[in-house]
């Protein structure tokens, strides 16, 4: 596949508009065109060892869940490991693409994969995603009614000269009088011009309403998941399920105040990776994530919530095998898709 065609297909699989605003997602390194992709190489973290594996396995594009370029690079030399990743990628004509939090948000992404470790359950996003655009043109709406048709026509003619604005007029009855209701959808920049124009024509209307429009929420998309188990199970059983799902011999556990290993778990809040900011304040029997700060764990425990920590990337990496199968279908088996064997969490229990 052509690189551009593949990137478009990857964006269709999980829209980058769902990624958090602070994230650095999409195509991060692009070899000079034309660039054909025969082998797509999946990894959770693109380390130097993983990059060498990608070179050996003749990858044409690396899909790294975590973006290897996050803070801006001021130069590309052999001095730091992240600069060396870019050098090696370009030397071997390997592109680098990162979806990160876009994969966290989608209903077929990392967090939904993590819910499977709990057993049968229903889940909803803890922080639903918003649509990338407003339901109508513009971020603000200005509304007013008037019975001065002649003056209105003059003002509307001036309003229509303003960029980034749409105008709707409808007949309306106000206090028993036939009037015209004017609705203006506009950008924040255009709003300033509209307000200035209307203030110069205040005799046209009695009252003006300015509304801030909200982007609609997207059902089933968002950060974290609140899971309701089909049947309550003990904390000890949940621990064994999670260890089996993540293929881990050990996890870290903090038992909630007044709880035991036999306490029932009915609701679990989870977030792949580092979940403190997503989980905080959620009412649940259990928090499941990769890592949390010491004080956030103390807060959860004091509120009777048990906490399971599995290390950051251990709550993400297992998704890659599922991703490989889904992408094979999505891309109609046009390319070879392989998962890194060198990729692993940097921390281990010894």
């Amino acid at each position: 596949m052509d690189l551009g065609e593949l990137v478009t297909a990857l964006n269709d699989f999980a829209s980058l508009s769902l990624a958090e605003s602070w994230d650095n997602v999409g195509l991060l390194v692009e070899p000079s065109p034309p660039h054909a992709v025969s082998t797509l190489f999946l990894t959770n973290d693109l380390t130097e060892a993983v990059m060498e594996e990608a070179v050996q396995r003749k990858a044409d594009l690396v899909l790294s869940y975590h973006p290897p370029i996050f803070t801006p690079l001021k130069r590309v030399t052999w001095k730091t490991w992240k600069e060396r990743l870019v050098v090696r990628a370009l030397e071997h004509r390997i592109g680098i693409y990162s979806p990160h939090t876009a994969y966290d948000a989608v209903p077929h992404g990392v967090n939904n994969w993590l819910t499977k470790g709990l057993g049968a359950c229903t889940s909803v996003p803890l922080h639903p995603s918003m649509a990338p655009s407003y339901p109508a043109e513009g971020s603000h709406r200005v509304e007013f009614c008037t019975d001065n048709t002649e003056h209105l026509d003059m003002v509307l003619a001036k309003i229509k000269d303003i960029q980034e604005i749409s105008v709707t007029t409808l007949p309306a009855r106000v206090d028993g009088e036939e009037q015209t209701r004017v609705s203006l959808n506009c950008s924040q920049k255009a709003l300033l011009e509209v307000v200035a124009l209307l203030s110069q024509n205040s005799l046209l209307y009695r009252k003006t309403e300015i509304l801030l429009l909200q982007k609609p929420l997207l059902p089933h998309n968002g950060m974290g998941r609140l899971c309701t188990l089909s049947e309550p199970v003990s904390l000890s059983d949940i621990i064994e399920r999670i260890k089996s799902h993540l293929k881990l011999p050990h996890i870290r556990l903090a038992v909630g105040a007044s709880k035991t290993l036999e306490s029932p778990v009915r609701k679990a809040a989870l977030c792949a990776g580092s979940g403190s900011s997503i989980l905080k304040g959620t009412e649940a029997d259990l928090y499941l994530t990769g890592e949390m700060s010491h004080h956030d764990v103390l807060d959860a425990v004091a509120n009777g919530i048990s906490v399971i920590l599995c290390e950051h990337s251990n709550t993400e990496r297992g998704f890659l095998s599922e991703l490989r199968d889904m992408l094979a279908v999505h891309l109609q088996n046009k390319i070879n898709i392989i998962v890194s064997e060198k990729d692993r969490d940097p921390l281990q229990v010894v």
Side-chain angles (χ1 to χ4, degrees):
M1 295 180 71
D2 174 73
L3 177 61
E5 179 190 0
L6 177 54
V7 168
T8 298
L10 291 173
N11 293 348
D12 289 340
F13 178 78
S15 173
L16 298 180
S17 65
L18 295 172
E20 295 289 272
S21 59
W22 47 261
D23 210 351
N24 189 34
V25 294
L27 186 62
L28 305 184
V29 174
E30 179 182 8
S32 58
H35 185 63
V37 178
S38 297
T39 298
L40 175 62
F41 182 89
L42 309 182
T43 184
N44 201 79
D45 292 296
L46 184 55
T47 61
E48 288 189 277
V50 172
M51 174 57 82
E52 291 310 308
E53 181 188 10
V55 170
Q56 293 300 317
R57 301 184 75 175
K58 302 187 184 313
D60 304 297
L61 179 68
V62 170
L63 188 154
S64 176
Y65 167 74
H66 286 135
I69 303 173
F70 193 78
T71 54
L73 296 176
K74 292 186 176 181
R75 56 186 58 82
V76 179
T77 70
W78 202 247
K79 188 174 183 180
T80 68
W81 73 276
K82 291 202 171 182
E83 291 176 63
R84 291 194 292 271
L85 288 178
V86 177
V87 172
R88 292 292 281 159
L90 292 175
E91 282 179 340
H92 292 274
R93 294 189 55 76
I94 300 173
I96 301 175
Y97 178 95
S98 177
H100 201 200
T101 51
Y103 277 14
D104 292 348
V106 291
H108 50 283
V110 179
N111 281 308
N112 271 46
W113 166 80
L114 189 57
T115 67
K116 296 175 183 178
L118 300 173
C121 64
T122 58
S123 67
V124 294
L126 286 170
H127 294 261
S129 299
M130 288 191 297
S133 57
Y134 293 93
E137 183 180 349
S139 57
H140 293 75
R141 178 174 295 162
V142 179
E143 294 186 341
F144 64 89
C145 289
T146 183
D147 58 3
N148 191 332
T149 305
E150 185 176 341
H151 194 181
L152 175 61
D153 290 342
M154 180 190 70
V155 171
L156 288 181
K158 294 180 179 179
I159 286 176
K160 289 176 180 178
D161 289 335
I162 299 173
Q163 298 291 319
E164 301 175 347
I165 192 167
S166 63
V167 181
T168 304
T169 58
L170 294 169
R173 180 174 287 275
V174 181
D175 297 331
E177 296 181 359
E178 293 295 331
Q179 297 194 9
T180 299
R181 173 175 289 277
V182 180
S183 179
L184 312 172
N185 284 350
C186 58
S187 66
Q188 185 162 353
K189 178 183 176 183
L191 177 65
L192 299 176
E193 297 183 61
V194 170
V195 170
L197 180 60
L198 291 179
S199 66
Q200 296 168 10
N201 295 272
S202 57
L203 296 178
L204 180 65
Y205 55 89
R206 295 178 186 174
K207 181 178 72 171
T208 299
E209 291 183 306
I210 300 177
L211 308 173
L212 175 62
L213 302 179
Q214 296 292 326
K215 295 177 180 179
L217 297 178
L218 296 175
H220 314 303
N221 293 270
M223 299 300 155
R225 295 293 184 269
L226 179 61
C227 307
T228 302
L229 276 70
S230 298
E231 292 184 4
V233 297
S234 68
L235 177 59
S236 60
D237 283 347
I238 285 288
I239 290 169
E240 293 309 312
R241 289 181 183 183
I242 291 168
K243 287 163 68 175
S244 174
H245 183 59
L246 302 184
K247 297 179 173 57
L248 295 175
H250 307 285
I251 52 91
R252 290 192 288 165
L253 172 69
V255 179
S258 303
K259 301 295 173 64
T260 70
L261 288 175
E262 297 311 310
S263 295
V265 174
R266 297 177 179 85
K267 285 194 174 183
L270 61 82
C271 179
S274 181
S276 288
S277 62
I278 302 297
L279 301 176
K280 196 167 184 139
T282 301
E283 292 185 11
D285 301 306
L286 173 69
Y287 285 173
L288 168 62
T289 187
E291 57 182 338
M292 286 175 66
S293 74
H294 172 79
H295 296 288
D296 286 338
V297 173
L298 289 179
D299 286 343
V301 168
N303 289 318
I305 302 170
S306 298
V307 178
I308 292 177
L309 304 180
C310 306
E311 305 308 344
H312 189 113
S313 68
N314 288 336
T315 57
E316 303 160 339
R317 183 170 291 101
F319 171 67
L320 294 179
S321 296
E322 193 169 286
L323 175 64
R324 175 193 57 206
D325 297 339
M326 287 190 291
L327 286 180
V329 174
H330 183 69
L331 301 175
Q332 300 177 331
N333 293 306
K334 291 180 180 179
I335 59 174
N336 183 34
I337 305 174
I338 56 179
V339 177
S340 171
E341 297 175 359
K342 299 288 186 182
D343 178 38
R344 56 179 51 86
D345 195 275
L347 294 172
Q348 57 180 309
V349 178
V350 296

